[in-house]
Amino acid sequence: EVVLTQSPATLPLSPGERATLSCRASQSITNYLAWYQQKPGQAPRLLIYDASNRATDIPARFSGSGSGTDFTLTISSLEPEDFAVYYCQQRSSWPLTFGGGTKVEVK
Amino acid sequence: EVQLVESGGGLVQPGGSLRLSCAASGFAFSNHVMNWVRQAPGKGLEWVSSLTGNGENTYYADSVKGRFTISRDNSKSTVHLQMNSLRAEDTAVYYCVRRSWPWGPFDIWGQGTMVTVSS
């Protein structure tokens, strides 16, 4: 099973600041990594797929990078609506797995 | 509008059964792998099960294998999750989720249905 480790668990930032979230896989998953955003009481939303491709209607301030085992989600300048929990997920092998999440909170 | 709507959640005793349903609309249902993902209260996301578009291939997390069964009816654009021998640790919001192409990411999520296993 591919274990995804996200860091940090919590990221306190202010609006306008840059957010950098990390996701590390226990083995190579090439680029089969996605990022999701979840707000309280809502279902997750796909942000990034295949490590660096923005999903439909996702703003350009969200970007993804990485390959193999190390991946990064960057939010270039935080908007008020970006404070949420972010999960990474791999589709390289079964079982499909998610990281434990990073909560981006208001500092 | 592309939409997934779950139903069937509720309170069930340990050892009991429950059947979740998900009604899809707005897309070519039979072309997509359909999935269930759950989230225990205050916890992260856990993939539960997947089913190919033709209904021939199923996949399960070890935590539910042998107890849960995923199925679909392409004529009605619905997918189901039959949950037997339920345990307290199965308590979660269950999301019905579409994969964007046969083996792509989870691109469309339902609103979720809550399952509580408790005596």
Side-chain angles (χ1 to χ4, degrees), chain A:
Chain A
E1 172 176 325
V2 176
V3 177
L4 298 177
T5 303
Q6 292 188 240
S7 61
T10 305
L11 187 56
L13 292 168
S14 301
E17 288 193 296
R18 183 183 187 90
T20 303
L21 288 66
S22 173
C23 177
R24 179 164 291 175
S26 60
Q27 62 193 70
S28 177
I29 56 172
T30 57
N31 68 331
Y32 294 131
L33 187 96
W35 290 94
Y36 302 86
Q37 177 194 65
Q38 187 177 34
K39 297 179 182 179
Q42 296 185 16
R45 175 176 71 145
L46 176 66
L47 296 176
I48 301 286
Y49 65 93
D50 292 351
S52 61
N53 298 286
R54 273 190 304 278
T56 303
D57 295 330
I58 300 304
R61 64 181 181 273
F62 291 92
S63 63
S65 63
S67 66
T69 60
D70 290 310
F71 301 86
T72 301
L73 173 69
T74 301
I75 310 172
S76 59
S77 178
L78 283 164
E79 297 288 339
E81 62 269 26
D82 299 336
F83 291 91
V85 179
Y86 294 84
Y87 294 96
C88 58
Q89 178 252 330
Q90 65 83 21
R91 65 179 182 92
S92 175
S93 63
W94 301 98
L96 306 179
T97 51
F98 290 87
T102 290
K103 182 179 182 180
V104 178
E105 64 178 27
V106 178
K107 186 174 181 181

Side-chain angles (χ1 to χ4, degrees), chain B residues 24-72:
Chain B
S25 59
F27 64 96
F29 181 73
S30 63
N31 289 350
H32 291 269
V33 174
M34 295 303 296
N35 314 264
W36 291 94
V37 173
R38 69 184 179 183
Q39 186 170 36
K43 303 297 184 181
L45 301 167
E46 180 188 17
W47 167 77
V48 172
S49 182
S50 297
L51 177 59
T52 54
N54 59 12
E56 292 184 358
N57 299 97
T58 58
Y59 305 83
Y60 297 97
D62 285 346
S63 58
V64 306
K65 199 172 295 183
R67 300 188 299 122
F68 290 11
T69 302
I70 191 171
S71 62
R72 66 192 295 160

